Amino acid sequence: MSAKILVVDDEPDLEVIFRQKFRKQIRKNEFAFSFAYNGAEALEQLKTDSAIDLVVTDINMPVMDGLTLLGEIEAQYPVCKSVVVSAYGDMENIRTAMNRGAFDFLTKPIDLEDLEITISKTLQMVQELQEKIKLQEQKEEAQQESLELEKHNRFIRETFGRFLTEEVVNTLLESPEGLKLGGEIREVTILMSDLRGFSSLSEGLAPDQVVEILNRYLEAMANIIIAHEGTIDEFIGDAILVIFGAPIRQKDHAPKAVACAVAMQQAMEAVNEANRKDGLPELEMGIGLNTGEVIVGNIGSSKRMKYGVVGSHVNLASRIESCTVGGQVLLSETTYQKVASVVDINQKLKISAKGFKEPVTIYDIKGISGEHNLNLSEAVETLQVLPAEIPLEYSLLEGKQLNEAICKGSFIKLSEKGGVIRGECEVTPLSTLKIDIMEIKNAVSSDLYAKVINMAGNNDGEFYAHFTAVPPEVKTFLQKL
């Protein structure tokens, strides 16, 4: 590779002299010359080509003199070295040039033999300096790799250590496959859980109460997930995204995930018992599960990265979870096929899921038998017949958008958890409704939300809706009834 030499001088004949003197080196590609006619032009060239090794400069030039140029080179391009060739060879100029980083100082008229020797010596020094820098960079790179490995191991311990068993964390650290943690396609089972109506519920609580109730719930759920060898990918407010089958492969990831979901629902009784003792509201949670191939690996940027999961099967798990009511566990078709021999179901349903062209089959399960042997508690709900119907209006919630069509209806039966509605518009199971009770519609925040569970009677237009979000004012009104 040729050495790059920039010659800076306002004498027009100097370019011809240099090219003639060093024609052999130019022909052999040992030297590559460029030329500038003042210091300002030289700095522009250095900006576009910072790989210039040597600057041979005059002192007396227009626009920017050579001594000023030397100061700029020393400050901005420390690897590039300079040789001064000037007619002004007094001690003051020589001292200034050397203080500003010049390697040597030659006086005009130029002795071309001396110049050739000086250039060779300077380039040799530049080469040695570059080698030192290269060795230093290699040393720093090795140190950085060591730091990255340490950082990587710390990342595994700090991230997975909170959400995985110690045995799994040690496996990740000790195995080459575990240390790689690159993006890969993997079949996993995704568990998505979420509290029903937590946003509305938390509006009536003080900030410290919201944090207390949320932390109690998340701690209880995290302990169960870790016990079932799931990986907590993320806490999203009051929602939890869990992976079974990554980063450690599991042949039985689907039954582990289903058992975990049932155990999480069972644990809600203890969570709510503690809430009741502290005067805090009870919580209800819904869980959706889906199995399929996803991409797992490190996701993020150089500043913030996490082990995560990406793919349409994650989205489907979220869509299924959104169909649940409190205390329910819903499975996708792919998850059900892997656990069909050990689960009992309440019903099989088809839903339209956003982002999916075909209807999606889901299964509402009772529990899982076999080695896990866990069952969901059967909720006992007493619906009271109302002495007088309560007029209401309801609209269908599609995704996060409210359908503009408003339907009239009325509650004919009620419990703390839901009610039977007689309505003028047709609804389908698992659809979400926003309900306005006419008597209090303009008096309070009446954003009452419910999910249609089933058709509730022998009469057309009657259906049961389970409450999913009940504002405190609406709850008070319903309790009085």
Side-chain angles (χ1 to χ4, degrees):
M1 185 175 179
S2 59
K4 293 185 176 183
I5 302 171
L6 172 60
V7 180
V8 190
D9 201 304
D10 59 343
E11 292 186 20
D13 296 336
L14 204 61
E15 181 174 343
V16 176
I17 294 172
F18 268 81
R19 293 193 183 281
Q20 179 64 27
K21 170 60 182 175
F22 298 102
R23 61 185 182 279
K24 291 182 181 179
Q25 290 91 333
I26 294 172
R27 188 167 58 248
K28 292 179 180 179
N29 201 33
E30 294 175 1
F31 292 171
F33 284 97
S34 58
F35 297 86
Y37 295 97
N38 58 61
E41 288 185 13
L43 284 179
E44 286 300 318
Q45 290 199 36
L46 283 165
K47 286 180 183 178
T48 58
D49 187 2
S50 59
I52 292 173
D53 301 297
L54 171 63
V55 175
V56 179
T57 183
D58 190 12
I59 288 180
N60 188 26
M61 295 179 294
V63 184
M64 180 186 289
D65 61 62
L67 293 177
T68 303
L69 173 62
L70 288 176
E72 294 293 333
I73 293 173
E74 179 71 7
Q76 299 183 48
Y77 309 98
V79 178
C80 178
K81 294 303 172 186
S82 305
V83 171
V84 177
V85 180
S86 175
Y88 297 90
D90 58 276
M91 288 304 299
E92 182 64 27
N93 280 331
I94 294 173
R95 187 181 301 109
T96 302
M98 293 303 179
N99 286 337
R100 296 186 183 183
F103 177 75
D104 207 343
F105 194 109
L106 303 178
T107 55
K108 293 183 178 180
I110 302 173
D111 185 322
L112 295 177
E113 298 301 323
D114 282 351
L115 179 61
E116 183 177 6
I117 293 170
T118 300
I119 287 177
S120 296
K121 287 182 178 179
T122 309
L123 289 174
Q124 183 178 355
M125 187 193 72
V126 170
Q127 184 178 1
E128 291 173 355
L129 181 60
Q130 289 174 341
E131 289 176 354
K132 286 181 181 179
I133 292 173
K134 186 177 180 180
L135 288 172
Q136 181 62 28
E137 288 176 347
Q138 290 174 344
K139 182 179 178 182
E140 291 176 356
E141 185 178 345
Q143 291 175 339
Q144 184 63 29
E145 287 178 356
S146 177
L147 288 173
E148 287 296 326
L149 179 59
E150 181 182 346
K151 180 181 177 182
H152 185 269
N153 290 351
R154 187 168 65 250
F155 163 78
I156 291 175
R157 287 220 172 268
E158 291 179 353
T159 302
F160 292 124
R162 291 173 290 173
F163 307 136
L164 292 172
T165 64
E166 185 68 19
E167 179 183 3
V168 173
V169 173
N170 289 335
T171 301
L172 286 173
L173 290 171
E174 293 169 4
S175 68
E177 181 185 359
L179 287 171
K180 186 179 178 182
L181 285 180
E184 61 174 312
I185 296 175
R186 181 88 65 87
E187 184 187 81
V188 300
T189 296
I190 304 295
L191 181 154
M192 175 73 82
S193 72
D194 195 12
L195 292 178
R196 302 271 71 87
F198 184 73
S199 298
S200 298
L201 181 149
S202 61
E203 289 177 0
L205 300 176
D208 59 329
Q209 290 178 310
V210 174
V211 172
E212 180 183 357
I213 197 171
L214 195 55
N215 285 348
R216 173 178 289 156
Y217 158 71
L218 292 175
E219 183 177 3
M221 297 304 110
N223 290 337
I224 293 169
I225 293 165
I226 292 172
H228 287 80
E229 300 179 13
T231 299
I232 300 175
D233 179 72
E234 198 163 5
F235 290 132
I236 314 165
D238 56 304
I240 310 174
L241 176 61
V242 187
I243 312 169
F244 289 83
I248 299 298
R249 293 182 183 274
Q250 297 168 326
K251 291 182 179 180
D252 56 347
H253 52 81
K256 282 183 184 293
V258 175
C260 179
V262 176
M264 289 169 68
Q265 291 290 18
Q266 289 180 338
M268 290 301 293
E269 177 54 39
V271 171
N272 285 326
E273 177 62 27
N275 287 344
R276 287 190 290 269
K277 286 181 179 178
D278 292 338
L280 297 170
E282 296 183 23
L283 304 174
E284 286 191 327
M285 174 181 64
I287 300 178
L289 294 100
N290 180 40
T291 301
E293 287 190 340
V294 296
I295 298 172
V296 292
N298 288 332
I299 298 170
S301 68
S302 57
K303 292 185 178 179
R304 187 179 187 276
M305 188 172 289
K306 64 180 284 295
Y307 187 78
V309 57
V310 176
S312 62
H313 285 288
V314 182
N315 299 334
L316 182 54
S318 177
R319 301 286 184 268
I320 293 172
E321 180 277 319
S322 68
C323 293
T324 63
V325 296
Q328 196 172 37
V329 175
L330 297 179
L331 311 183
S332 70
E333 179 70 42
T334 52
T335 303
Y336 176 73
Q337 291 302 326
K338 289 185 175 295
V339 297
S341 63
V342 290
V343 295
D344 296 322
I345 65 170
N346 289 311
Q347 58 180 331
K348 173 182 175 181
L349 299 165
K350 282 190 179 292
I351 62 168
S352 295
K354 183 180 178 181
F356 296 85
K357 294 181 180 179
E358 301 298 326
V360 175
T361 303
I362 58 175
Y363 296 82
D364 177 13
I365 68 165
K366 297 179 180 179
I368 182 169
S369 57
E371 63 174 301
H372 299 289
N373 196 28
L374 297 169
N375 292 291
L376 295 171
S377 59
E378 295 186 14
V380 178
E381 183 176 7
T382 303
L383 286 162
Q384 296 184 1
V385 178
L386 298 171
E389 295 185 8
I390 301 172
L392 57 84
E393 293 177 342
Y394 60 95
S395 300
L396 184 66
L397 192 67
E398 298 172 340
K400 294 186 178 181
Q401 301 298 318
L402 194 65
N403 192 306
E404 294 181 358
I406 297 176
C407 304
K408 294 187 180 298
S410 59
F411 280 122
I412 59 176
K413 296 179 182 179
L414 271 179
S415 75
E416 290 186 358
K417 295 185 179 294
V420 176
I421 296 174
R422 180 183 293 128
E424 64 180 12
C425 298
E426 185 179 348
V427 296
T428 56
L430 300 183
S431 55
T432 300
L433 306 179
K434 179 182 181 295
I435 301 172
D436 287 311
I437 300 173
M438 305 312 296
E439 186 175 338
I440 58 172
K441 179 177 180 180
N442 299 319
V444 299
S445 172
S446 57
D447 290 341
L448 171 63
Y449 288 90
K451 191 172 292 292
V452 177
I453 301 300
N454 53 41
M455 301 305 104
N458 297 322
N459 300 321
D460 291 339
E462 292 185 4
F463 56 89
Y464 171 74
H466 185 97
F467 297 147
T468 57
V470 187
E473 300 94 335
V474 177
K475 186 173 183 179
T476 301
F477 174 81
L478 293 175
Q479 286 174 337
K480 288 179 179 178
L481 295 175

